[in-house]
Amino acid sequence: MLRHLQALLVLLAFGAILVLGTPGLDHQDWRELDAPDERAALREAAAGRPGGPVLAALVLATADLNQHLRQPLYDLLAPVQRPFRIRQSWHLYRDGPTRVRRLEISVDGRLVHRSSDPAYAWRDAQLRNRHLRPILENVARRAESPNERGALRWIVAQARADWPAAERVEIVATIARYPGTEARPSHGWVARAPGWAPEALEEP
Amino acid sequence: MSGPWGWWLRFTERRVDARMLGLLRILCCAAVVLDLLRVAQVGLADDLYVLYEHGGINGHPDAAAWVVRELGPHGGLWAYGATLVCLTLAGLGLVTRPALLVGVLAYAQVGHLFSPGDRGVDRILRTVLLILLFSGAHRRFALGLRLWPQARRERVAAWPADLVRWLMVMVYLSAGVSKLMDQPDWLGAPALPVVYRIMTDPMAAHLDPVALLPLRPLWILMGWATIAVELSSPLLLFRRTARWWSSCALPMHLGIALGMDLGMFSYGLMSLHVLLLWPWLSPLMDRVPALRDGGDGPAPAPGAAPTAAG
């Protein structure tokens, strides 16, 4: 009896991992191809291509399976992931940035850090740590990002700790077409003594 | 019993060398512990695991980060410390199962609290550690076997290793399929190949985009090779092909480890390949007496019946 129970539980574990992280479906919208006009548009677009109708039928069947079979099972199983933070969704690799972005940090006008530049490697160990880096990527990408305040405050605090007499810390994001030889500032901030509150640069 | 259920029963009752799961336990725990120790080494723990309003960086924790609500502003640091202690214990093989359970829960809280820094590899390793909780991974290479009179096991249930391999297929296959479905640049031959852009992104990598641009054909080939490896990942389910598939996948992880600053991403995933490379690793370990039969407390009595736990 126990061997049957163990076999059943193992089967459920395999099934749970498959349902929660089905390759290709794990990041699809549940309502994808749900609307009749969407479905009709897909059939129409596929009609003129060789094998198109078969492919369209396959895509629609997959969408239906995802919505009507996988979603109820997913909703049942998903809460188990929460306390362990083990969401089974695995599109891990990005397709790379389309522009070369860097973050530059200057203290009193002297450049001390530039992303991936060994000549300006101040606080590289921290700024490139895998835990902090995603926040800095967002800071480099946009003038307003969720944790911009915390990141800027941290950078300014570190600069003040290393250069106690400093009066100005400037953080500038640059952007360039690949391969990145002609970079221009896209946005930035400056923090000045004595208040040290970062302010957006008007003309970075 | 015959038929599909009989096959499944036999499949789930298979046993494997306990050293394989013991080694996987050690490597996974070491990857996480070293990664978290690196955070402390560079002095970031106080900044990452304390919320913005208390002086840290992140102002947007997940709703599931109860550790701060319950333990106060330094709850995140407690979770960080608990993760380090528990996964060190689990890696050493001391009170392994309770340490794994508490360690994974604490590690999850660290992730909930500082979600920007909690990436796919963290979720993969937490899933693997949870699977190991139900395995016989604590039956070899464990200090607990020396400290408490408990016979080690030579062979333990194979299904946890199979489940980890199944998880690996999901991970690699999803990555491959999503490239085909959502990121068509991977398959084509764009002027700026995707692998080139990823590997020379100054925010995440340290390769020189100017010097490496002329190698465009190589980058395109690497992109195709990446997709081929990922889409062929079901091969790792089969004993005969797993090691060869791993031999193709490991250079990809090594390349990422050497060219990018992704911390334990590569090391964490490579540690799972122990399961795939075992047919090659096992004879190597057999040559070292301590790894073959020593150091783990008393050997099981001849003919001793295996327990349900392995």
Side-chain angles (χ1 to χ4, degrees):
Chain A
M1 186 61 194
L2 270 179
R3 58 195 286 257
H4 287 274
L5 182 63
Q6 176 184 285
L8 181 66
L9 291 174
V10 173
L11 184 64
L12 289 175
F14 271 79
I17 286 178
L18 176 63
V19 166
L20 290 169
T22 315
L25 298 180
D26 60 335
H27 61 293
Q28 295 294 312
D29 185 354
W30 294 117
R31 302 283 164 214
E32 188 138 327
L33 295 172
D34 187 32
D37 53 337
E38 269 184 296
R39 300 171 75 90
L42 177 73
R43 284 197 193 94
E44 197 177 326
R49 300 177 183 183
V54 177
L55 198 61
L58 200 64
V59 169
L60 290 174
T62 307
D64 288 343
L65 269 178
N66 195 37
Q67 187 183 340
H68 300 298
L69 180 64
R70 184 170 166 257
Q71 188 184 6
L73 291 171
Y74 185 94
D75 291 344
L76 187 72
L77 294 166
V80 178
Q81 303 174 103
R82 194 81 175 133
F84 302 106
R85 198 174 165 86
I86 51 169
R87 192 165 62 88
Q88 305 290 299
S89 182
W90 305 120
H91 35 105
L92 296 179
Y93 302 102
R94 301 167 297 180
D95 55 358
T98 52
R99 294 283 187 273
V100 179
R101 293 177 190 277
R102 287 189 166 93
L103 210 56
E104 294 182 350
I105 301 169
S106 304
V107 179
D108 286 341
R110 185 167 67 91
L111 184 64
V112 295
H113 177 90
R114 180 189 285 142
S115 309
S116 191
D117 188 339
Y120 303 100
W122 174 73
R123 294 278 175 177
D124 235 14
Q126 290 86 6
L127 292 165
R128 298 185 74 76
N129 183 274
R130 79 168 184 106
H131 295 277
L132 182 56
R133 202 201 59 249
I135 286 182
L136 298 173
E137 282 180 344
N138 282 334
V139 169
R141 200 175 301 133
R142 299 193 295 268
E144 288 180 11
S145 61
N147 283 303
E148 159 209 318
R149 287 183 314 161
L152 297 178
R153 184 174 72 179
W154 181 84
I155 291 170
V156 171
Q158 303 306 309
R160 290 179 63 194
D162 288 357
W163 292 281
E167 297 201 332
R168 177 187 167 97
V169 176
E170 208 170 281
I171 301 142
V172 174
T174 66
I175 185 169
R177 290 179 184 278
Y178 272 95
T181 44
E182 293 175 12
R184 62 176 172 79
S186 60
H187 55 277
W189 300 265
V190 60
R192 298 182 183 89
W196 293 109
E199 298 165 14
L201 281 169
E202 286 180 12
E203 286 184 20
Chain B
M1 185 174 286
S2 60
W5 186 248
W7 176 85
W8 184 252
L9 268 178
R10 287 190 295 280
F11 179 75
T12 55
E13 287 175 339
R14 282 166 36 252
R15 307 188 86 72
V16 289
D17 192 331
R19 294 178 303 173
M20 180 173 76
L21 286 168
L23 189 58
L24 177 66
R25 183 198 84 232
I26 291 168
L27 291 176
C28 288
C29 289
V32 178
V33 167
L34 293 175
D35 179 67
L36 292 179
L37 282 177
R38 175 69 178 154
V39 171
Q41 187 196 13
V42 299
L44 276 176
D46 285 344
D47 304 300
L48 300 188
Y49 307 124
V50 173
L51 291 179
Y52 176 81
E53 55 262 41
H54 303 125
I57 291 174
N58 183 28
H60 305 278
D62 280 3
W66 55 261
V67 75
V68 173
R69 287 196 303 275
E70 301 298 326
L71 300 178
H74 293 101
L77 289 173
W78 284 107
Y80 170 77
T83 310
L84 275 176
V85 170
C86 289
L87 293 186
T88 301
L89 286 174
L92 292 173
L94 288 165
V95 287
T96 311
R97 283 175 155 171
L100 276 176
L101 179 61
V102 178
V104 170
L105 284 169
Y107 186 13
Q109 280 302 308
V110 168
H112 284 310
L113 187 73
F114 193 75
S115 49
D118 192 74
R119 318 297 285 180
V121 67
D122 298 277
R123 286 186 281 123
I124 292 170
L125 290 182
R126 275 194 292 269
T127 309
V128 171
L129 291 171
L130 265 185
I131 293 171
L132 291 181
L133 175 65
F134 297 96
S135 77
H138 58 299
R139 296 295 193 171
R140 285 302 301 267
F141 302 147
L143 276 181
L145 296 174
R146 284 183 164 203
L147 296 177
W148 294 285
Q150 189 182 13
R152 68 169 192 252
R153 300 274 177 214
E154 301 295 338
R155 299 185 70 76
V156 294
W159 65 261
D162 297 328
L163 201 53
V164 172
R165 283 144 73 115
W166 182 241
L167 173 72
M168 290 172 77
V169 172
M170 295 297 126
V171 171
Y172 285 107
L173 201 53
S174 289
V177 170
S178 72
K179 285 182 184 69
L180 288 186
M181 288 172 62
D182 302 329
Q183 302 163 3
D185 271 2
W186 275 91
L187 211 53
L192 295 168
V194 178
V195 179
Y196 163 77
R197 285 189 276 133
I198 290 175
M199 297 291 289
T200 60
D201 172 14
M203 296 302 295
H206 49 256
L207 299 182
D208 182 357
V210 177
L212 294 173
L213 186 58
L215 301 179
R216 181 172 168 270
L218 182 66
W219 295 115
I220 292 171
L221 279 177
M222 284 166 69
W224 294 346
T226 302
I227 293 184
V229 164
E230 289 170 348
L231 293 181
S232 62
S233 58
L235 291 174
L236 69 83
L237 291 174
F238 305 102
R239 199 165 54 90
R240 285 186 181 179
T241 49
R243 70 190 104 163
W244 301 108
W245 181 86
S246 173
S247 306
C248 296
L250 282 177
M252 177 176 79
H253 289 306
L254 275 175
I256 293 172
L258 293 174
M260 301 187 75
D261 299 318
L262 300 188
M264 73 159 175
F265 174 79
S266 293
Y267 309 116
L269 282 176
M270 283 195 287
S271 68
L272 308 184
H273 284 243
V274 163
L275 300 181
L276 315 181
L277 298 173
W278 189 248
W280 286 335
L281 287 176
S282 171
L284 291 177
M285 293 177 83
D286 286 343
R287 290 183 191 172
V288 184
L291 299 177
R292 186 182 61 230
D293 50 22
D296 265 342
T307 65

